[in-house]
Amino acid sequence: MKEIHRYPVKSLAGESLQQVQVERYGLYGDRSHALIDPSQEGWDRYVTARDIPKLLSYRARFEGDGSDSHFPEVAIMDSEGRRFGWNDEFLSQFDSLHNKEVTLETNTPDSEELLAVDASSILIITESSVKALEQRWGHPLDPRRFRANFLVTLYEEAPFSETVWLQRKLTIGSVTLQADELCERCSMITVHPETLHRDSSLLKLIHQERNTMFGVYASVVETGKVRVGDKISIE
């Protein structure tokens, strides 16, 4: 395991961790909070950086301890260093970004269903695949563009080997996952996570060469803890 990333708020920048608890729904607290358009239903109700790239300039992290009934406090920092909580003050930031009413959604730790993730519990990418794609693209490629939970390094440098993981078991630390499906990419990856500059050529490249798929979604078979440096085995 090379890197662990958690996103307490869907479509905001997240936090890099050295270790994390994995629950049935995924990483503890991952996408547990979301911005909602109450005029929409289903998946369309989520307000995301696909429509408002500036959301990525806000970084969310957990502070303090949670409980069985609530996650830890969410602290949000903007690019100018201003701090917000998950409250109306933060919500007021969107008056100039979104022309519709926006509300805050908060899930709880006892959820037995997926939180505000896109498809399955955990998204995994490999370092070798990122490097291969970077070489083909011809530009420096920040792995954070893909908003994966786990960036893993494989012993064998075999780019895109995750495409053959489907329906196989992955063990990382004390956690067992099952690779469910490849991740179909959207315009989120065209936004640089720091500069917010858009470059659609990356998505075009993945569409042409990878059928728009990059990374793999996995569900949780056995919960436990994962740490940076843990070995990964594939059955």
Side-chain angles (χ1 to χ4, degrees):
M1 175 68 67
K2 185 176 179 63
E3 294 179 6
I4 300 172
H5 295 277
R6 177 171 62 190
Y7 303 90
V9 180
K10 184 178 181 64
S11 264
L12 268 60
E15 54 185 343
S16 177
L17 305 174
Q18 289 300 304
Q19 63 180 22
V20 69
Q21 177 68 28
V22 176
E23 303 291 353
R24 287 291 180 185
Y25 58 77
L27 270 61
Y28 174 81
D30 187 50
R31 276 85 167 186
S32 56
H33 298 66
L35 294 159
I36 300 296
D37 180 349
S39 68
Q40 301 293 325
E41 296 182 356
W43 199 250
D44 291 336
R45 73 185 189 279
Y46 290 117
V47 178
T48 73
R50 283 187 286 269
D51 300 315
I52 309 176
K54 194 173 180 180
L55 287 178
L56 295 174
S57 68
Y58 293 88
R59 187 172 304 278
R61 69 174 186 267
F62 285 131
E63 291 187 344
D65 298 320
S67 70
D68 291 340
S69 61
H70 64 83
F71 288 108
E73 177 185 353
V74 173
I76 301 170
M77 300 285 290
D78 70 6
S79 58
E80 298 177 0
R82 293 178 297 180
R83 177 190 169 105
F84 304 92
W86 188 243
N87 51 35
D88 289 343
E89 182 185 11
F90 173 64
L91 201 58
S92 68
Q93 296 296 300
F94 297 94
D95 289 345
S96 61
L97 302 179
H98 199 271
N99 59 3
K100 296 182 180 180
E101 179 186 1
V102 177
T103 61
L104 304 178
E105 178 178 273
T106 303
N107 291 282
T108 58
D110 58 0
S111 174
E112 296 182 359
E113 300 180 353
L114 294 180
L115 306 185
V117 297
D118 282 354
S120 195
S121 302
I122 294 173
L123 178 57
I124 305 170
I125 59 175
T126 69
E127 188 176 30
S128 57
S129 295
V130 172
K131 288 180 178 178
L133 189 60
E134 180 180 66
Q135 185 175 23
R136 290 288 297 115
W137 192 35
H139 304 286
L141 182 55
D142 191 323
R144 291 177 299 167
R145 280 182 182 265
F146 302 104
R147 297 181 66 79
N149 297 119
F150 295 157
L151 173 66
V152 301
T153 301
L154 305 178
Y155 288 113
E156 296 182 3
E157 289 291 326
F160 312 113
S161 61
E162 61 270 26
T163 58
V164 300
W165 292 359
L166 300 186
Q167 307 311 310
R168 297 174 68 180
K169 297 291 196 302
L170 289 72
T171 300
I172 310 173
S174 61
V175 172
T176 302
L177 308 175
Q178 176 174 292
D180 293 328
E181 60 182 312
L182 299 178
C183 178
E184 183 176 3
R185 291 301 172 172
C186 66
S187 61
M188 283 282 288
I189 67 169
T190 68
V191 183
H192 191 284
E194 293 293 340
T195 66
L196 307 186
H197 173 70
R198 278 189 182 271
D199 188 337
S200 60
S201 65
L202 177 60
L203 183 59
K204 182 178 180 180
L205 175 67
I206 295 177
H207 174 72
Q208 292 174 336
E209 300 198 359
R210 309 300 314 167
N211 197 27
T212 322
M213 302 295 183
F214 188 81
V216 62
Y217 279 115
S219 55
V220 180
V221 178
E222 295 290 341
T223 63
K225 186 163 287 187
V226 172
R227 297 174 176 82
V228 169
D230 280 347
K231 294 181 179 179
I232 176 171
S233 61
I234 304 170
E235 299 177 13

